Amino acid sequence: MNTPSKPYKRPVSVLVVIHHQCQRFLMLQRIDNADFWQSVTGSLEADELPLDTAIRELCEETGLCLAKEQVHDWQLHYDYDIYPEYWHRYPPGTRRNTEHVFSVDVALDSPITIAPAEHSAYRWVDADTALTLAYSPSNRNAIAQLILQAAS
């Protein structure tokens, strides 16, 4: 469980969808569950703003260290139930999380360096595959919204 060296996570996080012109999406496979593919996610640290977390998590999880101007803040958040297998990461009794949504449009040849403690693989995939792979409903919703925006 949690120790003084590893404090509980805040139940506030970010989701950063990485795409190339809303046609290709970068999906990351979690190391603790081979079926769990996702975009970049991460909890806010103490006194951290969602945009700062999005930038930090992008850099930590993919090696894409971008400027604030390159990250699109959707001014949208999803509230969802935390998966039971992750309850121990949060303060006792915490069962809901608020996830702020961001996206970045990057070149397909952008160098990607995944965080080996969190992810075992990454793939650039088409929109349909991204929707199929995305494990969490909030991740699927965000990808679907990007696809709809591109089509209009």
Side-chain angles (χ1 to χ4, degrees), residues 22-25 27 124-132 143 147:
C22 298
Q23 295 176 12
R24 304 290 292 179
F25 295 83
M27 301 300 292
W124 280 105
V125 298
D126 62 36
D128 289 337
T129 303
L131 289 169
T132 301
I143 292 168
I147 295 165

Side-chain angles (χ1 to χ4, degrees), residues 16-20 24-28 39-40 51-68 70-71 103-115 122-124:
V16 186
V17 179
I18 303 168
H19 65 95
H20 176 70
R24 304 290 292 179
F25 295 83
L26 184 70
M27 301 300 292
L28 307 169
S39 297
V40 167
L51 178 58
D52 297 325
T53 303
I55 291 165
R56 177 180 54 77
E57 290 289 345
L58 265 172
C59 192
E60 289 175 2
E61 293 188 19
T62 67
L64 295 170
C65 300
L66 305 176
K68 288 182 179 186
Q70 295 173 279
V71 179
S103 61
V104 294
D105 188 348
V106 300
L108 288 175
D109 62 355
S110 297
I112 304 297
T113 306
I114 58 173
Y122 74 90
R123 294 170 51 190
W124 280 105

Side-chain angles (χ1 to χ4, degrees), residues 1-10 45-46 88-91:
M1 294 295 161
N2 285 306
T3 63
S5 63
K6 187 153 182 139
Y8 290 119
K9 290 180 175 246
R10 290 175 60 189
E45 293 180 354
H88 68 277
R89 296 179 179 178
Y90 297 89

